[in-house]
Amino acid sequence: MLFSSSIFVFGFLPVCLLFYYIIPKSRRKLRNLFLFIISLGFYAWGEPVFVLIMIMSILANYIFGLLVDKYNDNKILSKRIIVIMIILNLGVLCTFKYSGFVVDNLNNIFNLNIENPNISLPIGISFFTFQAISYVIDVYRRRDMDGDIIRAQRNPINVGLYIALFPQLIAGPIVRYKTVAQQINHRDENFDDFSEGVKRFILGLSKKVLISNNLALIADKAFSIAPNEISISFIWLGAISYCMQIFFDFAGYSDMAIGLGKMFGFHFLENFNYPFISKSVSEFWQRWHISLGSWFRDYVYFPLGGSKKGTSRTIINLAIVWFLTGFWHGANWNCIAWGMYFFIFIFIEKFLIKKNNKLKGLSFLGHIYTLVVFITGLVIFRCTSIPSALDYLKSMVGLNGNMWINDLTILYIKEFWVFIAAGVLFSMPVAGVIKRKFINKIDDFSFIKKCFFVSIYVVMYMGIFIISMSYIVKGAYNPFIYFNF
Amino acid sequence: MKKVNRIIAVVFLIFIGCFAIKSVGIKECKEIYGVMATFIDKVKLEIKGDKLNEDTESNLNIDMKQVVSNTENSFNNSVFLRQEFIDFYGSIQKTLNKKVQEDLAKDNNNILHNIAETRDVTFAIDNLNELSDFSAEKDIKFLYVQPPSKVMEDFTVLPKGIIDSSNENIDEFLKGIEGVNYLDLRNNIDNWNLSKEEMFYKTDHHWTIESVFRGYSDVIDEINQLYKMNLDPDNIYTNIENFSETIYEENFLGSQGNKLSEPYSGLDDFNLILPNFKTDFTLTQILKNDILHEKKGTFKEALVYEDLIKENERGYSIESYTSYLGYGNTEKRIVNNSVENDKKVLVIGDSYSRPFSAFLSLCFKETRNLDTQPGRFEENIYDYISEYDPDIVVVMFYEWSLGAKDTFNFKRIELK
C-alpha cells in the first residue's frame, strides 16, 4: 500500500489512528501489539505471501537478539552468533535479491546453462533486513544513542514492531535499533508531536505527489528517446529532472515516514539534509540517504577498520563500502558501477585533493562540481545497461551528433516550469529561512496580523494537502521506485 | 507556533475522518466484500480440490495481489467527492496552462487530441486485403471508408514538440490497400459545408454527427458510382434539407474531456440529426447470439437512445455520441420497413461506424453493424459474411484502430 494513495490516507490511516488511540496510553503492550499487527497487515497488503518471510525474519532475529544478549560476556561465542545471524539475514536477502544476477553472470562468464530461479523480490526486504541486522548488532554493542545500555527485547512483539513498523517498512529510513530502543516501551505520544507529524506527512506527500511525480514525466520521456536522437538540452533536462524526482520521492517518503512515526510517538532521525547545497561528493553523501550511509559506516566501514589501519586499508574499506552501497541499490552492474563511480570521487577528494585555503572563495565551483557528478552518476543508475548509460553520457556532451536544443525541450520546460522551479527552490533550505524570518516571529505580531498569518499558514498546509489528494484521486502518474529494494 | 500546528492537525484529522466515513459507505463495503469473497471462494475450491502446489501458491500470490489491486481501485472509485477532486485537478491543469497531459494534447483551438505515434499497420493491411478478396470470391461488393482525421491540415496546430502521426498512419494504410475500393473522406471534408471546428468534438475522439451525416452521404454516392446500386435515387435520405437538427448546448463531455475533467476541457454541443420524413425501423441488439432487446418505430424511436443524451447531475452527458444505436458490445441488426429495395449491407468497424450505420440504414433494407474491437463482436467475420450474404460489405475504422491487431483479426485466429 502506498502512502500516496487514497486508500491509505482515507482508509488505513484514520482507522489505524482511531484504534491506536482508543487503547489507553497505560496499555503500552496492547498499543505495541496493535501497531505490530497493523504493520504486518500493511505489508501483507502488498505482499500477501512474503509477509511470512518477514515474520520468520522477526522470529529468527528475536532469538539471535536473546542469544547475543545472554552470551554478551563471552565475546567469542557472541561473535559467532553475530556471524551466523549475518549469514542468515544476508543469505535470505541474497537469495531473493541477487540469485538471478549471480546465475545470469555465471551463465555469461562460464557459458553455462543454469536455469534462472526468477524469484520475486519481496518489497522492502533490503530495508527490513538491514534493520534486523541492526537490532542484533546494537544489542551486542549494548549502548544506545545516549550511551545507555540496550538489552534484547524479551517480547517478540517489540522486535516485530521495530522491524516491521509500517511508516519505515517499505522505503526507509533505515531506523537503527539504538535510536528507538527506549521508544518502543517508553515513548510519549502527545499532541504537539502528533501535530508536527501531521505537518511532516503533508509536506512529504506533496513532495512525492506534486514535485517528484511530475518531474518523473520529464525523466521518463528523456530516457525513452534513443541517445542518438535526443538533444543535449533535453537529456540534461531529463537527467536533472530525474535527480530531483529521486530526491523528492525519497525525501518525501522519508518525511512521510518520520511524520507517521511522530503520530505514533516515535522519533526517527533525519534521512536527508539538503544534499544539493553540498560542496563535495563526500559532503553530499553525508546529507543524502543518511540512514543508509551511516548504516554502512557503522556496520561495515568501522568493523573493517575504517581509516585507522593505514592508507591502503582505508582505500580498500572505502571500495568495499561503495561497492556494497551500489549493490544494495540493485542487482545489476549499473548499480555497482554507480557505487564505484562515487568511490572514485570520494577517493580523489580524500586522498588526492589537499585542503587548499585559496579554494575557499571558489566554493560555488564545489557546488557545481558536486551537482554535475551526482546528476551524471544518476544517468548510470537510471539506465538498464552500462553501454546504454555510456551512450546517454555521450549524448550529454553531444558526442552522438546531438543537436543543442529542440522543440521538445521548450515544450517540456513550458509544461513543467512550475514543478522544475518548485524542485529547485525546495531542494534548498528555504523552509529554514522562512521559519526564521516569519514563523518564529508570529508570537510578536499584533492579534490581527497573527490571525492573518495563522490563517494563511493553515490554509497553505491544507491547500497543498488537498491539491496532492486531487492528484491522487485523479489517478495522476504515481510511480513506485522502490521495487528494487 | 505549537497552537498553529495543533490547528493544522485538528483540521487534518477532521478532514480524513470525514472522508473515511463518507467514502466507505455500505455500498462500497459490499463491493469490497464481494471482491474478497470471490477470491476466498476460489481459494476454498483450490484447497478442496487438493490442488495446492507450487504453481497454485504462486498463482494465489498473483490472485491475492489482483484482489488487493481491485479493492484499491474500488476504494478510489468510491472516494467521497471524487468527481470534485478530479474537477479540481482539471482546474489546476487549466491554471497551469498545461497543453499536454497523459497521451493527450490541446491544440491552438483548445481541441483535445490523442497523440498518435507511428503505428505498424501491416497486420491491418494484410487482413483488410484478405477480407476484400474473400468478399470478391463470394461476389459481394466491398468498400473501405476512411473517416477523416481529427488532426486537419491548415487547421490543427499542436504544441511545438508534439509529433502526431495519425495522417501518416492512414496514408501508409491506404497505400497498402491500393487494390481495394476505398473512399478517403479526408479528401471530401472541404465540400461538407461545415467549419473544421464543427467536424470533430473538442472533448472526444469521435467525429460529430454533422460530419457523420456528410460522410454517409458521400459513401452512398460512392457506392452508387462504383457499383450502380441505385441507392436513394430521389436524393431524399442523403439530403440534409430533409432532416432536422436539435442542438443540445454544452451537453457532451467526450472521452478525452472525461479523462482530463470538464473544467479543463470544457463541454461540446451535441447535435441530434433526425429525418423529417416518415420512417419505420426495427432494431435488434444481439449479444453472443442472444437477443438482448428489440426496438420498433420511427428512426428516432428505434435507432436513437435518447436517455444517453440526458444530462447527469453534473449538467452534462458522457454518452451522447453513443445515442445512435447504443453501446458497441452488441451486434446491431436494423431492418428498414419503408425503403424500396431489398439490399443488405454489413458494416464492420469501430465506434466511428455506429452512427454512420444508423444513417446508412435509411438506404438499405437490412443493415448490420459489427464492432470487431476486443471484447465486442468476437466471432469469425468470414463465417458471418458467408452466412449473412450481404450485397455489400462496408468497412470503416478510425486511425487509432489501424494498429490494433485484435481488431483486424477477422478470422479470430490465435495471435502470437
Side-chain angles (χ1 to χ4, degrees):
Chain A
M1 192 188 298
L2 303 181
F3 294 159
S4 54
S5 66
S6 52
I7 198 167
F8 179 82
V9 178
F10 293 144
F12 184 88
L13 184 60
V15 166
C16 197
L17 288 171
L18 175 69
F19 285 103
Y20 183 79
Y21 282 103
I22 276 176
I23 301 168
K25 200 169 176 178
S26 55
R27 304 294 299 272
R28 173 60 57 210
K29 279 187 184 170
L30 198 52
R31 277 194 173 185
N32 283 354
L33 176 63
F34 171 78
L35 214 46
F36 171 61
I37 291 170
I38 204 97
S39 295
L40 284 183
F42 177 85
Y43 190 73
W45 187 261
E47 295 287 5
V49 171
F50 287 140
V51 68
L52 298 169
I53 304 288
M54 174 179 289
I55 292 170
M56 287 193 289
S57 170
I58 289 167
L59 285 170
N61 288 289
Y62 163 71
I63 293 167
F64 281 125
L66 288 174
L67 289 172
V68 133
D69 192 29
K70 183 178 177 183
Y71 297 110
N72 202 266
D73 295 329
N74 185 338
K75 289 298 167 198
I76 294 172
L77 181 57
S78 54
K79 277 189 179 171
R80 281 181 185 163
I81 295 168
I82 293 289
V83 168
I84 295 168
M85 178 277 296
I86 288 172
I87 290 171
L88 199 70
N89 276 299
L90 292 183
V92 169
L93 178 63
C94 290
T95 302
F96 281 101
K97 192 166 177 178
Y98 300 111
S99 53
F101 174 76
V102 169
V103 164
D104 283 343
N105 281 282
L106 284 175
N107 285 340
N108 287 337
I109 295 168
F110 300 110
N111 210 22
L112 302 171
N113 205 18
I114 308 170
E115 196 184 326
N116 194 311
N118 280 324
I119 303 175
S120 301
L121 181 66
I123 292 171
I125 190 171
S126 303
F127 289 103
F128 71 71
T129 300
F130 272 32
Q131 290 212 180
I133 294 173
S134 160
Y135 167 69
V136 181
I137 293 180
D138 284 355
V139 167
Y140 168 74
R141 287 179 177 173
R142 276 277 166 93
R143 298 281 170 187
D144 70 5
M145 297 288 284
D146 301 316
D148 295 327
I149 292 178
I150 306 172
R151 302 303 298 263
Q153 291 286 346
R154 300 289 151 193
N155 186 344
I157 300 297
N158 290 344
V159 176
L161 181 62
Y162 161 67
I163 290 173
L165 187 62
F166 78 85
Q168 26 77 189
L169 178 58
I170 286 171
I174 301 169
V175 177
R176 307 272 283 280
Y177 181 65
K178 63 185 179 186
T179 64
V180 295
Q182 291 300 322
Q183 295 176 50
I184 287 173
N185 288 320
H186 301 104
R187 61 187 179 277
D188 173 36
E189 297 95 328
N190 59 74
F191 201 57
D192 285 333
D193 281 347
F194 185 93
S195 309
E196 279 188 23
V198 165
K199 279 174 58 182
R200 200 69 190 264
F201 178 80
I202 290 172
L203 281 178
L205 186 70
S206 62
K207 280 181 185 175
K208 159 70 179 156
V209 171
L210 299 182
I211 303 180
S212 175
N213 287 355
N214 279 289
L215 294 177
L217 292 166
I218 308 176
D220 286 358
K221 181 65 181 175
F223 287 97
S224 72
I225 301 172
N228 59 339
E229 288 173 8
I230 196 168
S231 68
I232 297 171
S233 55
F234 198 62
I235 185 63
W236 272 100
L237 181 65
I240 292 167
S241 300
Y242 183 60
C243 176
M244 289 199 283
Q245 173 201 346
I246 295 290
F247 171 63
F248 283 102
D249 196 305
F250 216 165
Y253 246 90
S254 295
D255 282 343
M256 286 191 272
I258 291 167
L260 287 165
K262 273 196 174 160
M263 289 187 210
F264 295 99
F266 287 96
H267 291 80
F268 302 146
L269 297 178
E270 295 295 330
N271 208 17
F272 291 87
N273 183 19
Y274 301 106
F276 296 125
I277 64 171
S278 303
K279 293 186 283 292
S280 68
V281 174
S282 306
E283 184 187 353
F284 186 92
W285 279 97
Q286 288 163 15
R287 292 172 174 273
W288 176 281
H289 202 177
I290 299 167
S291 64
L292 180 74
S294 61
W295 196 98
F296 274 116
R297 181 196 63 208
D298 293 346
Y299 298 116
V300 178
Y301 186 65
F302 286 160
L304 286 174
S307 56
K308 293 184 178 166
K309 294 194 175 179
T311 304
S312 310
R313 185 57 190 264
T314 305
I315 294 169
I316 292 168
N317 292 344
L318 279 172
I320 291 170
V321 164
W322 283 101
F323 172 85
L324 292 174
T325 302
F327 206 28
W328 181 89
H329 280 82
N332 57 66
W333 287 109
N334 281 62
C335 288
I336 294 170
W338 179 75
M340 298 313 291
Y341 169 86
F342 285 111
F343 162 68
I344 291 168
F345 285 100
I346 286 170
F347 167 78
I348 291 170
E349 286 172 12
K350 208 173 168 72
F351 296 101
L352 301 183
I353 297 178
K354 308 267 183 206
K355 280 184 187 172
N356 191 331
N357 284 333
K358 290 178 189 172
L359 292 173
K360 266 190 181 168
L362 297 171
S363 61
F364 76 94
L365 280 178
H367 289 301
I368 294 170
Y369 146 76
T370 308
L371 285 173
V372 169
V373 167
F374 188 69
I375 290 167
T376 316
L378 276 182
V379 174
I380 302 170
F381 187 80
R382 178 65 156 80
C383 292
T384 52
S385 69
I386 304 280
S388 155
L390 289 173
D391 245 344
Y392 277 108
L393 289 172
K394 278 164 66 180
S395 297
M396 288 173 91
V397 289
L399 290 178
N400 278 324
N402 316 82
M403 62 186 107
W404 276 101
I405 192 161
N406 62 357
D407 289 335
L408 203 61
T409 311
I410 297 170
L411 173 71
Y412 271 76
I413 291 173
K414 272 187 183 173
E415 289 289 304
F416 292 98
W417 70 269
V418 168
F419 305 102
I420 296 168
V424 170
L425 186 66
F426 293 114
S427 61
M428 304 293 143
V430 169
V433 170
I434 295 172
K435 205 175 174 186
R436 276 196 308 277
K437 285 195 178 300
F438 296 101
I439 309 298
N440 290 348
K441 293 178 181 173
I442 282 181
D443 287 331
D444 300 331
F445 290 167
S446 66
F447 178 73
I448 292 172
K449 205 173 173 185
K450 199 191 269 188
C451 286
F452 175 73
F453 273 105
V454 165
S455 309
I456 298 287
Y457 196 70
V458 172
V459 164
M460 185 191 76
Y461 264 92
M462 290 313 297
I464 59 170
F465 175 64
I466 290 169
I467 292 172
S468 303
M469 288 314 300
S470 74
Y471 273 70
I472 290 170
V473 172
K474 162 66 178 72
Y477 190 50
N478 191 18
F480 181 70
I481 61 171
Y482 306 102
F483 53 84
N484 267 341
F485 304 106
Chain B
M1 192 58 207
K2 284 184 181 176
K3 281 185 189 164
V4 180
N5 291 349
R6 286 176 196 162
I7 295 171
I8 293 170
V10 167
V11 173
F12 176 80
L13 283 172
I14 292 171
F15 193 93
I16 66 170
C18 289
F19 272 77
I21 293 165
K22 294 288 263 180
S23 295
V24 190
I26 294 188
K27 179 185 159 226
E28 290 74 29
C29 282
K30 278 185 179 171
E31 203 179 304
I32 292 168
Y33 174 75
V35 166
M36 295 197 158
T38 310
F39 171 73
I40 291 167
D41 286 341
K42 193 172 175 187
V43 171
K44 282 181 183 169
L45 272 172
E46 297 272 355
I47 294 171
K48 202 175 172 183
D50 220 8
K51 288 182 201 165
L52 275 179
N53 56 31
E54 210 177 277
D55 287 339
T56 313
E57 282 165 18
S58 160
N59 289 339
L60 276 179
N61 193 32
I62 294 166
D63 284 345
M64 279 194 266
K65 286 195 172 186
Q66 193 57 52
V67 167
V68 161
S69 174
N70 290 347
T71 308
E72 288 200 13
N73 289 338
S74 290
F75 189 96
N76 200 46
N77 289 338
S78 70
V79 165
F80 179 54
L81 299 182
R82 180 171 187 270
Q83 193 57 50
E84 280 75 4
F85 271 119
I86 292 172
D87 287 350
F88 183 51
Y89 171 87
S91 302
I92 295 169
Q93 306 315 303
K94 193 167 183 186
T95 308
L96 294 174
N97 198 27
K98 291 290 286 282
K99 296 288 183 194
V100 181
Q101 284 194 73
E102 299 177 35
D103 58 345
L104 291 157
K106 229 186 209 184
D107 70 16
N108 55 322
N109 297 301
N110 286 325
I111 297 171
L112 290 171
H113 298 267
N114 282 92
I115 304 161
E117 291 177 343
T118 304
R119 303 188 201 282
D120 179 6
V121 296
T122 324
F123 190 88
I125 290 170
D126 291 342
N127 280 273
L128 190 81
N129 283 328
E130 265 189 56
L131 190 68
S132 169
D133 292 342
F134 174 77
S135 299
E137 280 168 29
K138 293 270 178 194
D139 204 23
I140 296 171
K141 300 165 184 58
F142 191 92
L143 180 68
Y144 177 77
V145 179
Q146 183 60 56
S149 167
K150 199 173 177 182
V151 174
M152 290 178 271
E153 216 180 318
D154 300 331
F155 178 67
T156 307
V157 179
L158 291 170
K160 264 192 173 176
I162 295 293
I163 298 168
D164 178 87
S165 303
S166 48
N167 284 295
E168 287 74 22
N169 292 333
I170 292 172
D171 291 339
E172 186 68 21
F173 176 75
L174 294 177
K175 201 167 107 181
I177 62 164
E178 263 173 357
V180 173
N181 285 322
Y182 71 79
L183 175 64
D184 183 359
L185 290 176
R186 292 180 302 170
N187 299 329
N188 293 35
I189 59 175
D190 289 336
N191 301 325
W192 281 1
N193 203 28
L194 284 176
S195 70
K196 294 214 168 130
E197 260 144 351
E198 291 171 303
M199 289 183 189
F200 283 85
Y201 297 108
K202 67 174 193 263
T203 70
D204 195 74
H205 60 285
H206 291 112
W207 50 350
T208 57
I209 301 300
E210 300 93 292
S211 293
V212 174
F213 186 89
R214 272 86 180 166
Y216 138 76
S217 297
D218 289 350
V219 167
I220 294 295
D221 284 344
E222 184 73 7
I223 291 174
N224 284 339
Q225 266 184 49
L226 276 174
Y227 298 119
K228 315 288 183 235
M229 284 180 83
N230 201 29
L231 301 168
D232 189 26
D234 301 324
N235 195 34
I236 296 171
Y237 309 130
T238 55
N239 188 343
I240 192 69
E241 306 282 319
N242 298 326
F243 290 79
S244 64
E245 298 185 48
T246 308
I247 298 176
Y248 294 82
E249 285 183 5
E250 304 240 307
N251 160 273
F252 179 39
L253 181 67
S255 60
Q256 295 162 333
N258 196 28
K259 212 172 172 184
L260 303 179
S261 86
E262 182 259 315
Y264 178 79
S265 68
L267 292 171
D268 279 299
D269 294 341
F270 182 74
N271 191 346
L272 187 67
I273 297 177
L274 298 170
N276 284 334
F277 46 88
K278 197 171 165 206
T279 52
D280 181 9
F281 283 93
T282 306
L283 167 66
T284 310
Q285 299 272 19
I286 295 170
L287 181 63
K288 295 189 195 307
N289 298 315
D290 288 329
I291 295 175
L292 265 191
H293 63 260
E294 224 175 54
K295 285 173 61 162
K296 292 184 181 187
T298 62
F299 182 97
K300 184 180 176 184
E301 287 163 351
L303 307 188
V304 177
Y305 289 79
E306 265 193 295
D307 277 352
L308 297 176
I309 307 173
K310 219 164 124 185
E311 287 159 14
N312 60 23
E313 67 278 358
R314 307 193 68 79
Y316 53 78
S317 167
I318 60 173
E319 294 179 310
S320 301
Y321 179 82
T322 314
S323 56
Y324 285 84
L325 300 186
Y327 300 106
N329 60 328
T330 56
E331 174 195 341
K332 288 117 179 50
R333 296 186 186 181
I334 308 167
V335 173
N336 184 343
N337 299 308
S338 54
V339 75
E340 285 169 8
N341 69 47
D342 58 355
K343 304 272 189 282
K344 300 193 301 186
V345 61
L346 173 65
V347 181
I348 298 167
D350 52 25
S351 53
Y352 265 59
S353 68
R354 272 205 303 285
F356 168 81
S357 299
F359 289 114
L360 204 69
S361 69
L362 288 163
C363 298
F364 286 87
K365 185 71 184 173
E366 189 172 350
T367 305
R368 292 191 184 184
N369 174 230
L370 306 176
D371 187 329
T372 56
Q373 294 178 95
R376 301 189 176 189
F377 186 83
E378 292 180 318
E379 311 287 315
N380 185 312
I381 297 295
Y382 285 68
D383 292 344
Y384 192 97
I385 290 174
S386 299
E387 201 187 308
Y388 178 46
D389 193 27
D391 293 286
I392 182 168
V393 171
V394 176
V395 181
M396 171 186 281
F397 285 103
Y398 171 49
E399 177 276 326
W400 213 352
S401 296
L402 297 180
K405 282 185 174 178
D406 286 336
T407 301
F408 278 83
N409 181 16
F410 299 132
K411 285 182 180 167
R412 303 312 188 197
I413 55 173
E414 206 175 299
L415 295 175
K416 286 172 195 169

